[in-house]
Amino acid sequence: MSIVTEFNDYRQRMNEKIMAADNKVIKRFFNLDTNTYQDGALDVKTKELLGLACSMVLRCDDCIKYHLGKCYEEKVSEEEIYELFAIANLIGGSIVIPHFRRAVEYWEALKDETVTPPPVHPHAV
């Protein structure tokens, strides 16, 4: 199983379990997050790039994978993704480098297969 499939399968399984608990606050948080990344004054591609840069600086590997998947869906180019990686490393410092390495590995895996990540964002997971 690829790292992309493994990540997306786990997220979907756990998100279903979380939603099955039927907690109103959790559902509202997930909904707020989902709605934030909809097209608005900023387009979806820009929002996903921002989410990816923030996730790298915050060093959240699950969030990085999620936003890389969404960036891939939004047809972010290789040149754009590496410019974003440069910005995230500059802002976050050398502590971001291990996450950068894993991000490159995941980006390469995304290019090797077609991916449609589940629509719910990972921050609450």
Side-chain angles (χ1 to χ4, degrees):
M1 179 181 301
S2 78
I3 62 174
V4 174
T5 302
E6 185 178 331
F7 173 71
N8 286 318
D9 287 353
Y10 174 78
R11 279 189 67 253
Q12 184 173 1
R13 186 174 67 251
M14 294 311 298
N15 284 344
E16 287 170 3
K17 187 172 196 69
I18 290 165
M19 289 297 129
D22 202 28
N23 180 284
K24 182 170 57 172
V25 175
I26 291 171
K27 283 185 171 186
R28 286 182 176 173
F29 182 80
F30 271 52
N31 185 267
L32 177 64
D33 187 81
T34 299
N35 285 322
T36 298
Y37 284 90
Q38 301 291 319
D39 223 5
L42 296 174
D43 63 13
V44 172
K45 180 179 176 180
T46 301
K47 289 180 177 186
E48 291 301 337
L49 287 165
L50 288 166
L52 177 57
C54 291
S55 296
M56 289 185 71
V57 171
L58 291 169
R59 302 182 311 275
C60 175
D61 285 332
D62 279 4
C63 302
I64 292 167
K65 288 176 183 175
Y66 176 83
H67 289 294
L68 280 169
K70 297 304 276 184
C71 285
Y72 186 79
E73 284 180 12
E74 292 298 318
K75 301 185 180 1
V76 171
S77 71
E78 188 91 2
E79 186 177 21
E80 290 171 317
I81 210 74
Y82 272 87
E83 282 191 19
L84 178 128
F85 289 158
I87 291 166
N89 278 283
L90 179 66
I91 293 169
S94 62
I95 197 165
V96 174
I97 292 172
H99 304 276
F100 171 43
R101 289 183 187 118
R102 288 188 289 275
V104 169
E105 176 186 29
Y106 197 79
W107 182 253
E108 293 298 316
L110 284 165
K111 293 189 310 182
D112 289 340
E113 62 182 84
T114 302
V115 177
T116 306
V120 179
H121 196 275
H123 286 209
V125 177

